[in-house]
Amino acid sequence: MSTDCLFCRIVEGSVPSTVVHETDSVLAFRDIDPQADTHVLVIPKEHFPDAAAMAAADPKLAGEVLAAAGEVAKIDGVDASGYRLVFNTGADANQTVFHAHCHVLGGRNLQWPPG
Ligand code: 5GP
Ligand code: ZN
């Protein structure tokens, strides 16, 4: 837990969120500024600065984040139509919150390449 980390505060409940799915190790909640009909953030409850750091420290946890992303897609009914998983990492990817998170985006046709 990092007290100056927004997503750690969401995990502890001091910042409210709309939770979609939760396990012992992972929390999934709706993005406050959705970029598609489905836009959910899946995070490990433990703090890691980005996805690579999480995977290096705890590969099982990284797998649990991906499994939860798949559950979110089912919950929102986009598993058949398709969806995108995004881990923005670092400045060129415009990462703004330095607690590992997987964006689950779906519910519309997503363009490629991304902007
Ligand atoms: P990043 O840009 O780091 O990949 O993604 C951070 C995401 O967190 C953004 O999509 C942003 O809209 C979302 N976000 C920022 N603050 C909050 C908040 O207080 N609550 C929720 N639910 N999402 C947030
Ligand atoms: Zn954190």
Side-chain angles (χ1 to χ4, degrees):
M1 163 77 193
S2 167
T3 47
D4 59 355
C5 170
L6 173 63
F7 287 176
C8 283
R9 294 172 70 95
I10 285 178
V11 170
E12 73 168 6
S14 60
V15 170
S17 68
T18 303
V19 172
V20 178
H21 177 62
E22 183 171 10
T23 71
D24 287 348
S25 58
V26 171
L27 186 69
F29 54 93
R30 298 206 182 277
D31 196 290
I32 204 168
D33 182 21
Q35 302 301 310
D37 286 350
T38 288
H39 189 174
V40 173
L41 302 172
V42 182
I43 68 170
K45 290 184 177 177
E46 187 178 347
H47 180 90
F48 296 98
D50 58 42
M54 169 179 64
D58 192 340
K60 180 169 178 280
L61 179 59
E64 289 168 357
V65 168
L66 290 178
E71 283 302 312
V72 166
K74 283 185 192 164
I75 289 165
D76 264 22
V78 298
D79 52 324
S81 53
Y83 57 94
R84 184 171 294 163
L85 305 182
V86 175
F87 291 92
N88 290 323
T89 303
D92 275 358
N94 291 307
Q95 183 181 4
T96 59
V97 177
F98 290 86
H99 179 130
H101 54 279
C102 177
H103 295 258
V104 183
L105 293 154
R108 66 173 170 83
N109 186 258
L110 299 162
Q111 301 302 301
W112 193 265

